[in-house]
Amino acid sequence: MKKKTFPEILFLLLISAIVYLPYIGRLTYFQDDWYYIYDGMMAGAKVFHEMFRIDRPARGFFFDLYFTWFGANPLPWHLGAFLWRGLSALGALGIFNTLWRDNRRFNFIAALLFAIYPGYFWWISAIEYQPMIASLALQVLSIAFTLKAIESQKNFEKAAYFFASIFTGWIYIALVDYAIGMEAFRFIAVYLLVNRNSQNLFWQRLFASAKAWAWTLLVPFGFVFWRAFFFTNERKATDIGGQLSVFLDNPAGTTIDWLFQSYNSLLNLSVLAWINQFPAFVQAMRLRDTALGLLLAVIAVLLVVFVERQISRSAESKVGAGLQDRVMKEALMLGGRGMLLGILPVIMANRYINISGFSHYGLPASLAAAVFMAGVVEIISLPQVRKGVLYAVVAFAVLAHFGIATMAATEEAALQEFWWQVSWRVPALRPGTTLVIHYPLPGIGSGGFALMEAANVIYFPEPTSEIPVHYPLSGLTLNSENLPGILEGAQVVESGYRSHTYTLDYSNVLVLSQPTLNSCVHVIYGAQPLISEYDPVNLSLVAPQSRIENVIVDADHAVPPGYIYGNEPERGWCSYFQAADLAAQTGDWEKVAVLGDEAIALELSPEDRVEWLPFLKGYAITSDAETLKQLAKRVVGEKSVRLQACELLSGIQQPLSEDVRTILAEDYCRGSN
């Protein structure tokens, strides 16, 4: 490592840390991370071979190793993702320093834009997408090793770089097969290196490049040979023949679609990733989070300014205008053509690239996108404008990543709070229960299956060693797609994915709802459902289907593991509500009244007034007319809550005192008809 590159390396890692590590202690599992972890907890590391047996077996070995080392603890997975990201940035710096050795400033900017590329959304999902970021790092290193092998004059060094390049090349494609398009980027980089000072004709330069590059064909051809002759693909979405059959069935229509998706994908990859990613997330942040994001963006920009000044003061940073123009043209060619050719496997597999759900398809080509953007910025002739654009691009990228991380941290914190409350309310659950869940944030459980693994982790944590893993609990997100089956209440569907199976029993559901972040979790009792004014309309429709007997009340309370769900929340109103609701299920109305007295003495009260209902029933049955009357002032102002309270209290089977009956008639049920 040359001493003069040390500042760039240091600041690349420092700015990357500012971008990716602010929430490192809070991020846990995001969306599909859950099934990776629960399957691993149940069957051990070997389950990942079954998970990827059908399409990408290399990932089975990758996850086997990772899970053996780190287990289910999310922190090492997130740190691992950051280390791969940092390694890829250093590899990119190595590539650019090899191609344009006399242009330190541009090389640093290009490597930085690659490190903080904002078009990749899924970095917050550190378990599922760990092989993608590892593949990216190995892809970059493989290309860097190729250039070093060509440049080296010593046979031993040349051989070492040769084998390192081939080995890392095979691994990166084995982990992410659609990244094979970036072999075009490798060729273009070789072309630029071999012809750095050449005055030959184009065809002579092309031949010299092909000659220097030919041995790297071992990477793509080796993978394709293995895929074609030694591996049987069982998944249509990753089967080359299956995808090409789409083209053969309708060549004209498919070609038009490919052209349209290529345009959209290139637009997302090269432009919209830099300017459209941050507004969607930043606009949804609280003022405090926005202020912190802006502070981090300012710090990152100031660090870039500092590095630029340090480089400009060094003797080796002086670049002539002619050389600068050549570097910009080469960067635009490398980036532009690298993007276009790099995304071809994605397009030909009938996929496309966006900056959200399908952003991972653009991750391999983000190397090309970054050097292209660096070229676009540097080609601006006015120095102040050029700097302003660069700093804006850096700031936008920092804000985009901070916004994405804030969104993920908020959802994960809400999920943790949700399941801690469930653990207070539900000591144990019967196997075979299908949970129908309404979470307080729309992004949680958006896949339709309510993150069923989150419940299984708590209530069925004991390993079974069975492959495929069968989930004792299944789940459905309460949405319009799942609503008809829940209302019908008759289907029993056996389903599964990769390495696990589950049973969706629509006749045996338990409905859970947390209407807002300020509400408590409500475990719905079908005969007397507790419906909040903030609940969606379809909750009222499915509530009668909820079977409260799926809650086992005479068992020790399951405790969520802290390394996944964080520390137990402070015991506030919701802890009293959950304890009272559980006592109500067992018919212990004296305990309900005692818990209500304690909560009132502590001056605790709900944000969601419907949560007073279990306490009202407890006070009515225990003949505490005075407290019942006092609480009427807090309840009856909302019509829907008053009507539920009247219905609930009027339906009490136990004999009530005269005072209680009078209060019910005058304070809770007057004008209810």
Side-chain angles (χ1 to χ4, degrees):
M1 183 184 298
K2 296 181 180 180
K3 183 177 180 181
K4 68 179 183 180
T5 63
F6 179 76
E8 288 97 302
I9 292 173
L10 176 64
F11 283 94
L12 269 180
L13 296 177
L14 181 58
I15 296 173
S16 296
I18 290 172
V19 171
Y20 295 109
L21 297 184
Y23 287 100
I24 189 65
R26 291 173 54 186
L27 293 176
T28 56
Y29 308 148
F30 190 74
Q31 295 190 10
D32 284 352
D33 286 345
W34 281 96
Y35 83 77
Y36 282 75
I37 290 301
Y38 187 65
D39 288 10
M41 291 173 65
M42 290 299 98
K46 62 184 181 295
V47 77
F48 296 106
H49 294 284
E50 173 65 19
M51 188 179 289
F52 293 102
R53 170 185 58 80
I54 61 173
D55 55 355
R56 298 183 177 110
R59 292 191 191 180
F61 291 96
F62 181 89
F63 277 107
D64 186 333
L65 185 64
Y66 251 76
F67 197 82
T68 300
W69 286 351
F70 304 138
N73 192 330
L75 180 58
W77 293 82
H78 283 280
L79 289 174
F82 174 73
L83 292 176
W84 286 118
R85 173 61 81 175
L87 186 60
S88 67
L90 299 186
L93 182 63
I95 291 173
F96 304 144
N97 281 339
T98 302
L99 293 177
W100 306 301
R101 62 177 68 237
D102 297 321
N103 204 321
R104 285 179 59 193
R105 178 185 174 278
F106 176 80
N107 297 342
F108 170 75
I109 295 302
L112 175 65
L113 295 183
F114 171 61
I116 64 175
Y117 175 72
Y120 177 54
F121 169 83
W122 290 109
W123 65 270
I124 50 177
S125 181
I127 290 86
E128 181 182 12
Y129 289 90
Q130 190 84 202
M132 280 73 154
I133 196 66
S135 172
L136 179 67
L138 295 171
Q139 165 197 307
V140 173
L141 290 176
S142 179
I143 296 171
F145 291 148
T146 295
L147 300 182
K148 286 294 185 182
I150 293 172
E151 191 179 48
S152 178
Q153 301 300 315
K154 298 179 181 179
N155 289 335
F156 177 78
E157 281 188 4
K158 186 178 289 287
Y161 284 128
F162 168 86
F163 286 111
S165 176
I166 299 299
F167 182 67
T168 52
W170 281 338
I171 297 176
Y172 96 75
I173 297 178
L175 290 174
V176 179
D177 43 22
Y178 54 82
I180 196 171
M182 288 302 289
E183 288 303 301
F185 185 96
R186 188 197 302 267
F187 174 77
I188 300 170
V190 170
Y191 176 88
L192 295 177
L193 177 64
V194 171
N195 298 288
R196 178 184 293 157
N197 299 309
S198 175
Q199 300 299 319
N200 293 329
L201 297 174
F202 171 73
W203 295 110
Q204 293 173 318
R205 297 198 303 270
L206 190 65
F207 178 77
S209 304
K211 183 179 177 181
W213 162 82
W215 58 271
T216 68
L217 287 172
L218 285 171
V219 173
F221 283 3
F223 173 77
V224 171
F225 183 78
W226 166 80
R227 187 87 176 189
F229 296 104
F230 293 96
F231 177 69
T232 302
N233 187 82
E234 299 179 25
R235 185 181 176 217
K236 184 177 180 180
T238 56
D239 180 63
I240 298 174
Q243 295 301 321
L244 288 179
S245 67
V246 176
F247 172 80
L248 296 176
D249 291 341
N250 183 10
T254 303
T255 300
I256 293 173
D257 185 63
W258 285 358
L259 290 173
F260 178 74
Q261 296 301 353
S262 295
Y263 169 78
N264 280 337
S265 296
L266 285 172
L267 183 64
N268 283 315
L269 189 66
S270 61
V271 179
L272 299 184
W274 303 97
I275 60 177
N276 270 20
Q277 187 71 290
F278 81 93
F281 296 100
V282 172
Q283 289 173 6
M285 291 195 300
R286 297 174 300 178
L287 182 61
R288 182 181 63 185
D289 293 327
T290 302
L292 178 56
L294 288 172
L295 176 61
L296 293 175
V298 169
I299 293 173
V301 169
L302 290 176
L303 290 174
V304 173
V305 173
F306 177 79
V307 175
E308 285 186 307
R309 290 181 177 178
Q310 291 298 109
I311 293 175
S312 66
R313 293 172 182 170
S314 61
E316 66 273 14
S317 69
K318 309 304 180 183
V319 181
L323 178 60
Q324 182 74 7
D325 290 342
R326 179 178 66 82
V327 170
M328 295 309 102
K329 292 178 182 178
E330 290 181 353
L332 291 172
M333 181 185 73
L334 178 62
R337 296 179 183 177
M339 284 191 294
L340 178 62
L341 298 172
I343 69 171
L344 281 183
V346 175
I347 302 302
M348 295 178 70
N350 302 296
R351 298 291 188 270
Y352 62 92
I353 297 165
N354 61 18
I355 57 176
S356 54
F358 294 132
S359 63
H360 56 290
Y361 290 131
L363 184 60
S366 64
L367 177 63
V371 71
F372 181 80
M373 177 55 70
V376 169
V377 171
E378 290 301 305
I379 210 169
I380 299 173
S381 58
L382 297 176
Q384 296 305 317
V385 175
R386 181 172 62 245
K387 289 182 179 181
V389 171
L390 172 63
Y391 301 153
V393 168
V394 171
F396 288 172
V398 175
L399 286 171
H401 285 301
F402 184 77
I404 291 169
T406 300
M407 176 275 299
T410 301
E411 286 191 6
E412 290 169 12
L415 187 73
Q416 292 171 339
E417 171 78 20
F418 182 96
W419 286 107
W420 269 110
Q421 287 197 41
V422 174
S423 73
W424 296 338
R425 171 60 179 86
V426 180
L429 284 166
R430 297 190 188 281
T433 302
T434 295
L435 301 173
V436 174
I437 302 178
H438 170 64
Y439 286 110
L441 296 175
I444 306 177
S446 58
F449 297 102
L451 296 181
M452 64 180 85
E453 297 84 1
N456 281 289
V457 165
I458 298 172
Y459 291 103
F460 296 94
E462 294 301 321
T464 63
S465 299
E466 295 180 358
I467 298 177
V469 176
H470 184 74
Y471 290 3
L473 304 171
S474 62
L476 293 167
T477 305
L478 183 57
N479 57 30
S480 57
E481 182 180 351
N482 292 326
L483 183 61
I486 299 169
L487 294 178
E488 182 182 348
Q491 297 182 65
V492 177
V493 179
E494 298 292 340
S495 190
Y497 184 70
R498 290 190 180 270
S499 53
H500 62 259
T501 63
Y502 51 86
T503 303
L504 292 172
D505 188 349
Y506 290 85
S507 66
N508 185 34
V509 304
L510 178 68
V511 180
L512 309 177
S513 174
Q514 186 178 10
T516 71
L517 290 173
N518 294 322
S519 303
C520 301
V521 176
H522 304 155
V523 178
I524 304 300
Y525 175 29
Q528 292 182 333
L530 187 152
I531 307 297
S532 167
E533 60 184 298
Y534 307 111
D535 274 319
V537 173
N538 54 16
L539 188 86
S540 300
L541 300 176
V542 303
Q545 309 292 329
S546 184
R547 300 179 60 175
I548 198 67
E549 60 269 24
N550 283 313
V551 176
I552 301 174
V553 296
D554 56 350
D556 293 334
H557 280 262
V559 179
Y563 66 91
I564 298 175
Y565 295 91
N567 296 326
E568 184 174 11
E570 181 181 351
R571 292 277 182 154
W573 165 261
C574 286
S575 65
Y576 283 92
F577 170 77
Q578 303 298 355
D581 203 36
L582 175 59
Q585 184 181 345
T586 63
D588 190 348
W589 298 108
E590 293 287 347
K591 184 175 181 180
V592 172
V594 169
L595 289 166
D597 291 342
E598 292 179 6
I600 292 171
L602 292 171
E603 298 184 345
L604 299 175
S605 62
E607 295 285 340
D608 195 338
R609 286 178 285 185
V610 77
E611 290 160 12
W612 281 117
L613 264 60
F615 298 99
L616 297 181
K617 188 171 181 179
Y619 287 128
I621 293 175
T622 58
S623 301
D624 190 344
E626 181 180 352
T627 305
L628 194 64
K629 187 173 184 61
Q630 291 175 352
L631 290 178
K633 300 174 184 177
R634 308 190 187 189
V635 171
V636 298
E638 172 55 43
K639 183 178 180 180
S640 65
V641 178
R642 175 170 54 82
L643 292 175
Q644 285 188 75
C646 176
E647 182 179 0
L648 175 70
L649 299 176
S650 299
I652 294 175
Q653 300 299 313
Q654 295 92 329
L656 301 178
S657 69
E658 184 64 31
D659 290 343
V660 167
R661 288 200 300 271
T662 301
I663 292 171
L664 296 188
E666 294 182 355
D667 294 294
Y668 288 93
C669 294
R670 176 178 293 178
S672 296
N673 296 329

Short mmCIF file of all heavy atoms in Angstrom, two decimals, residues 38 114 132 243 307 348 394 422 447 509 558 590 618 623 626 658 663:
data_model
loop_
_atom_site.label_atom_id
_atom_site.label_comp_id
_atom_site.label_asym_id
_atom_site.label_seq_id
_atom_site.Cartn_x
_atom_site.Cartn_y
_atom_site.Cartn_z
N TYR A 38 -34.97 -17.80 11.57
CA TYR A 38 -35.75 -18.82 12.27
C TYR A 38 -35.46 -20.22 11.71
O TYR A 38 -35.33 -21.18 12.49
CB TYR A 38 -37.25 -18.53 12.17
CG TYR A 38 -38.06 -19.47 13.04
CD1 TYR A 38 -37.92 -19.45 14.43
CD2 TYR A 38 -38.93 -20.39 12.48
CE1 TYR A 38 -38.65 -20.31 15.24
CE2 TYR A 38 -39.67 -21.26 13.28
CZ TYR A 38 -39.52 -21.22 14.66
OH TYR A 38 -40.23 -22.08 15.46
N PHE A 114 -19.10 5.36 -5.23
CA PHE A 114 -19.42 3.93 -5.23
C PHE A 114 -19.72 3.44 -3.81
O PHE A 114 -20.69 2.70 -3.58
CB PHE A 114 -18.25 3.14 -5.82
CG PHE A 114 -18.38 1.66 -5.67
CD1 PHE A 114 -19.44 0.97 -6.24
CD2 PHE A 114 -17.43 0.94 -4.96
CE1 PHE A 114 -19.56 -0.42 -6.10
CE2 PHE A 114 -17.53 -0.43 -4.81
CZ PHE A 114 -18.60 -1.12 -5.39
N MET A 132 -25.11 -10.72 -1.38
CA MET A 132 -25.07 -9.74 -2.47
C MET A 132 -23.94 -8.74 -2.25
O MET A 132 -23.18 -8.42 -3.17
CB MET A 132 -26.40 -8.99 -2.57
CG MET A 132 -27.50 -9.73 -3.28
SD MET A 132 -28.18 -11.10 -2.30
CE MET A 132 -29.82 -11.20 -3.00
N GLN A 243 -36.04 -18.63 -18.99
CA GLN A 243 -36.17 -17.20 -19.27
C GLN A 243 -36.07 -16.91 -20.77
O GLN A 243 -36.79 -16.07 -21.30
CB GLN A 243 -35.10 -16.42 -18.50
CG GLN A 243 -35.26 -16.49 -16.99
CD GLN A 243 -36.61 -15.96 -16.52
OE1 GLN A 243 -37.13 -14.98 -17.04
NE2 GLN A 243 -37.19 -16.64 -15.54
N VAL A 307 -10.42 16.28 2.26
CA VAL A 307 -9.61 15.35 1.47
C VAL A 307 -9.21 16.01 0.15
O VAL A 307 -8.05 15.88 -0.29
CB VAL A 307 -10.38 14.05 1.20
CG1 VAL A 307 -9.58 13.13 0.28
CG2 VAL A 307 -10.69 13.33 2.49
N MET A 348 -32.49 -9.61 -19.57
CA MET A 348 -32.78 -10.84 -20.31
C MET A 348 -33.41 -11.91 -19.44
O MET A 348 -33.97 -12.87 -19.95
CB MET A 348 -31.51 -11.35 -20.98
CG MET A 348 -30.96 -10.40 -22.05
SD MET A 348 -29.43 -10.99 -22.81
CE MET A 348 -30.06 -12.40 -23.73
N VAL A 394 -23.18 14.06 -2.81
CA VAL A 394 -22.74 13.39 -1.58
C VAL A 394 -23.78 13.57 -0.47
O VAL A 394 -24.15 12.61 0.22
CB VAL A 394 -21.37 13.93 -1.12
CG1 VAL A 394 -21.02 13.39 0.27
CG2 VAL A 394 -20.29 13.54 -2.13
N VAL A 422 -47.24 -8.48 23.20
CA VAL A 422 -47.91 -9.78 23.04
C VAL A 422 -47.42 -10.76 24.09
O VAL A 422 -48.21 -11.53 24.67
CB VAL A 422 -47.67 -10.33 21.61
CG1 VAL A 422 -48.23 -11.76 21.49
CG2 VAL A 422 -48.32 -9.42 20.57
N GLY A 447 -45.28 -8.27 3.22
CA GLY A 447 -45.25 -9.43 2.33
C GLY A 447 -46.51 -10.26 2.37
O GLY A 447 -46.70 -11.15 1.55
N VAL A 509 -58.05 -18.95 13.60
CA VAL A 509 -57.24 -17.75 13.61
C VAL A 509 -57.33 -17.05 14.96
O VAL A 509 -58.31 -17.18 15.70
CB VAL A 509 -57.66 -16.77 12.49
CG1 VAL A 509 -57.60 -17.45 11.13
CG2 VAL A 509 -59.04 -16.18 12.74
N ALA A 558 -43.71 -16.73 27.85
CA ALA A 558 -42.55 -16.75 26.96
C ALA A 558 -41.89 -15.38 26.99
O ALA A 558 -42.57 -14.35 27.05
CB ALA A 558 -42.99 -17.11 25.55
N GLU A 590 -61.34 -9.40 40.07
CA GLU A 590 -60.73 -8.71 41.20
C GLU A 590 -59.34 -8.21 40.81
O GLU A 590 -58.96 -7.07 41.12
CB GLU A 590 -60.63 -9.65 42.41
CG GLU A 590 -61.95 -10.06 43.01
CD GLU A 590 -62.60 -8.92 43.80
OE1 GLU A 590 -61.90 -7.91 44.08
OE2 GLU A 590 -63.80 -9.04 44.13
N GLY A 618 -64.30 -4.87 34.88
CA GLY A 618 -63.81 -5.30 36.19
C GLY A 618 -64.44 -4.50 37.31
O GLY A 618 -64.86 -5.05 38.34
N SER A 623 -68.34 -4.15 41.72
CA SER A 623 -69.23 -3.15 42.35
C SER A 623 -68.51 -1.87 42.77
O SER A 623 -68.89 -1.23 43.76
CB SER A 623 -69.93 -3.78 43.58
OG SER A 623 -70.69 -4.90 43.18
N GLU A 626 -68.07 4.03 42.10
CA GLU A 626 -67.45 5.35 42.10
C GLU A 626 -66.40 5.47 40.99
O GLU A 626 -66.40 6.45 40.22
CB GLU A 626 -66.79 5.61 43.46
CG GLU A 626 -66.15 6.99 43.55
CD GLU A 626 -65.51 7.24 44.90
OE1 GLU A 626 -65.70 6.40 45.82
OE2 GLU A 626 -64.82 8.26 45.03
N GLU A 658 -77.03 -2.15 42.45
CA GLU A 658 -77.98 -1.15 41.98
C GLU A 658 -77.24 0.11 41.51
O GLU A 658 -77.60 0.71 40.48
CB GLU A 658 -78.96 -0.79 43.09
CG GLU A 658 -80.06 0.18 42.66
CD GLU A 658 -80.96 -0.40 41.58
OE1 GLU A 658 -81.15 -1.65 41.57
OE2 GLU A 658 -81.46 0.37 40.75
N ILE A 663 -75.44 3.69 37.01
CA ILE A 663 -74.37 4.36 36.27
C ILE A 663 -74.33 3.89 34.82
O ILE A 663 -74.13 4.69 33.90
CB ILE A 663 -73.01 4.12 36.97
CG1 ILE A 663 -72.99 4.85 38.32
CG2 ILE A 663 -71.85 4.55 36.09
CD1 ILE A 663 -71.82 4.52 39.19
#
